[in-house]
Amino acid sequence: MSSKICAVIDYGMGNLHSAHGALQTVAPDTNVLVTSDPETILKADHVVLPGVGAIRDCMAEIRRQGIDQVVAEVRKTKPLLGICVGMQAMMNSSEENGGVDCMGLFPGAVRFFGKDLIENGEHLKVPHMGWNQVSQVAHPLWAGIPDSSRFYFVHSFYVQAEKPEQVKGRGHYGVDFAAAIGEDNVFAVQFHPEKSHNAGLALLRNFLAWDGQA
């Protein structure tokens, strides 16, 4: 086992088992730890913020456990990857549950797809669930992954970024949405790389090899 550590933040709301398993699979020499301990997280070489479920519950736990402060520190120093609701939690706010203040790492809001999402005369189901293409914007985490590769999504809310230059991947489901955002040493994705077969595993492998330089 190498001394390289990847911390998967456990605040009680993430799909931790599959994320841990996928990260360990792509980097068997990395010590992948599921942890809520701030000291362990801050000592790690790479940090992952996962998330599933309702954003209000996620943000309540993040704040109760002081994870927001830990993430703010991580954001200054080392590669940080947000996944699904972990990405949404990095925005300013979410429309979910009548409006929720998030961590504000990126300017922008999380919007509801809507109950009447229609495209080409067809009613689209919400949540957006299944495989969808992602149009890439150049970034080290896309290395070796063909543009417009398909990734696995499960979400009823989507990120609307205020700064177009922070959008590193675009998706479309009735509306255009940010499938990936990034700046400096932070990258976040709306899809689940741990459930996205080869393309998703390649992205996780790229993240664990990434030095945080865009």
Side-chain angles (χ1 to χ4, degrees), residues 20-38:
H20 172 274
L23 288 159
Q24 200 66 82
T25 295
V26 301
D29 293 334
T30 294
N31 189 9
V32 181
L33 303 174
V34 175
T35 180
S36 59
D37 178 58

Side-chain angles (χ1 to χ4, degrees), residues 101-149:
D101 288 333
C102 300
M103 289 190 287
L105 271 65
F106 292 95
V110 182
R111 308 289 187 196
F112 182 42
F113 275 119
K115 293 181 179 178
D116 297 310
L117 192 63
I118 296 174
E119 186 162 60
N120 299 325
E122 179 184 356
H123 187 270
L124 301 180
K125 292 182 179 179
V126 176
H128 169 216
M129 183 181 299
W131 296 87
N132 204 343
Q133 292 181 331
V134 174
S135 175
Q136 301 172 10
V137 175
H139 191 279
L141 264 65
W142 297 125
I145 303 172
D147 192 16
S148 297
S149 288

Side-chain angles (χ1 to χ4, degrees), residues 192-209:
H192 286 274
E194 74 278 9
K195 296 179 180 179
S196 297
H197 299 333
N198 292 340
L201 293 178
L203 187 139
L204 293 177
R205 189 179 296 111
N206 289 340
F207 171 67
L208 291 177

Side-chain angles (χ1 to χ4, degrees), residues 9-17 50-52:
I9 299 178
D10 179 7
Y11 56 97
M13 299 294 295
N15 190 2
L16 303 174
H17 177 74
V52 295

Side-chain angles (χ1 to χ4, degrees), residues 62-210:
I62 283 171
R63 291 200 168 100
R64 185 182 70 81
Q65 298 182 38
I67 296 299
D68 52 339
Q69 298 169 38
V70 175
V71 169
E73 283 301 308
V74 169
R75 198 238 183 284
K76 299 175 185 175
T77 58
K78 62 193 68 187
L80 170 64
L81 175 66
I83 296 175
C84 195
V85 174
M87 171 183 174
Q88 295 182 4
M90 292 181 176
M91 307 309 294
N92 283 337
S93 64
S94 173
E95 287 183 347
E96 191 173 355
N97 305 122
V100 177
D101 288 333
C102 300
M103 289 190 287
L105 271 65
F106 292 95
V110 182
R111 308 289 187 196
F112 182 42
F113 275 119
K115 293 181 179 178
D116 297 310
L117 192 63
I118 296 174
E119 186 162 60
N120 299 325
E122 179 184 356
H123 187 270
L124 301 180
K125 292 182 179 179
V126 176
H128 169 216
M129 183 181 299
W131 296 87
N132 204 343
Q133 292 181 331
V134 174
S135 175
Q136 301 172 10
V137 175
H139 191 279
L141 264 65
W142 297 125
I145 303 172
D147 192 16
S148 297
S149 288
R150 292 161 67 84
F151 293 86
Y152 189 78
F153 291 84
V154 183
H155 61 126
S156 299
F157 294 79
Y158 64 92
V159 165
Q160 190 175 66
E162 277 185 19
K163 295 185 177 180
E165 65 271 20
Q166 292 179 336
V167 177
K168 302 302 178 185
R170 295 183 175 89
H172 183 84
Y173 189 71
V175 297
D176 294 326
F177 65 90
I181 54 174
E183 186 176 63
D184 301 329
N185 56 307
V186 183
F187 196 85
V189 295
Q190 180 62 67
F191 54 82
H192 286 274
E194 74 278 9
K195 296 179 180 179
S196 297
H197 299 333
N198 292 340
L201 293 178
L203 187 139
L204 293 177
R205 189 179 296 111
N206 289 340
F207 171 67
L208 291 177
W210 186 38

